[in-house]
Amino acid sequence: MNFKSKISQIIENDLQTDAKLQQICDVLKNNYPHFHWVGFYFINGTKQELKLAQFAGTPTEHTIIPFGKGICGQVAVSNKNFIVQDVSEQDNYISCGIDVKSEIVIPIFQKDKNIGQIDIDSHDKSPFTKEDEELLEYICEKVATLNLDGIINQPPF
Ligand code: SME
C-alpha cells in the first residue's frame, strides 16, 4: 500500500479524531527516518496562539506558541508552507532541542481559515524534499475533512 492510501485509511477509520491524528504522527515518524518529531498544533479557541495537540517524539515544553513567534507562529499568520533546511539561519525560531537541525511546517485550512498545522523537526540538515512537502499538504487536506471543533476549541463556523 502506498503511503497516501495508508493516510486515507486512517482518516476514514472509525476512531475519534484525536486517535486518528495520533496515528498519523506515529506512522510518519516510524516510516520517514528523517522525521524525528511530528506534531499537530491548532489554534487555541479565539486566542492569538497555537496549542500542541497530538505528537510523536520527545515531549516539548512549547505546548503554546503565540501567533508570529517561531516557525510555527509565523505560519499561523503567513498561511504559507515554511521549509527551514537549516534552523541556525533563522532568527525567529523556537528551539525544541539542540539536536534539531531543520523543520517543515504546513498549514491546515478549513473553509479558507488557517486553523492549525503539521510540524516536523529533523536532526538532519537539508533533509526535506518536494515529495515530503507534497505528502504533508495531502495529509493537511485530509485532516481538514475531520471534525476538529473539539480540538480547536471553537464552535463550528
Ligand atoms: N521549532 C518550532 C517550535 C515547535 S517545536 O519544533 C516542536 C518553532 O520555531 O515554531
Side-chain angles (χ1 to χ4, degrees):
M1 190 192 300
N2 75 30
F3 205 77
K4 284 186 179 174
S5 308
K6 175 80 194 150
I7 295 295
S8 297
Q9 196 184 56
I10 293 171
I11 292 288
E12 285 154 26
N13 71 23
D14 281 337
L15 298 172
Q16 301 282 326
T17 294
D18 52 356
K20 292 179 184 185
L21 294 177
Q22 187 64 56
Q23 285 193 357
I24 291 171
C25 292
D26 292 338
V27 295
L28 281 171
K29 183 169 184 300
N30 294 337
N31 287 278
Y32 286 77
H34 58 298
F35 291 1
H36 293 99
W37 189 94
V38 180
F40 288 100
Y41 284 92
F42 291 98
I43 55 173
N44 190 13
T46 54
K47 297 180 186 168
Q48 298 289 297
E49 64 185 28
L50 296 162
K51 186 176 178 192
L52 181 62
Q54 284 68 35
F55 67 94
T58 311
T60 172
E61 62 188 18
H62 300 293
T63 55
I64 298 284
I65 298 179
F67 287 2
K69 290 275 163 65
I71 309 303
C72 297
Q74 290 179 77
V75 170
V77 293
S78 74
N79 306 324
K80 293 205 172 82
N81 298 352
F82 199 167
I83 297 139
V84 180
Q85 301 284 17
D86 180 356
V87 294
S88 72
E89 292 175 357
Q90 293 293 319
D91 292 334
N92 189 357
Y93 170 67
I94 302 167
S95 173
C96 280
I98 191 84
D99 292 336
V100 178
K101 301 284 191 301
S102 53
E103 177 161 3
I104 182 168
V105 178
I106 309 289
I108 300 169
F109 299 97
Q110 272 186 337
K111 296 185 183 163
D112 292 333
K113 182 174 159 72
N114 182 348
I115 51 99
Q117 51 192 240
I118 191 166
D119 174 24
I120 296 180
D121 287 347
S122 178
H123 298 174
D124 306 330
K125 250 187 209 173
S126 301
F128 300 117
T129 64
K130 204 70 202 156
E131 287 72 31
D132 293 340
E133 184 178 10
E134 200 261 332
L135 172 70
L136 296 173
E137 283 176 347
Y138 174 85
I139 290 172
C140 288
E141 280 168 26
K142 288 285 178 183
V143 166
T145 67
L146 299 173
N147 182 343
L148 297 166
D149 296 344
I151 293 182
I152 65 180
N153 196 18
Q154 268 186 16
F157 49 82

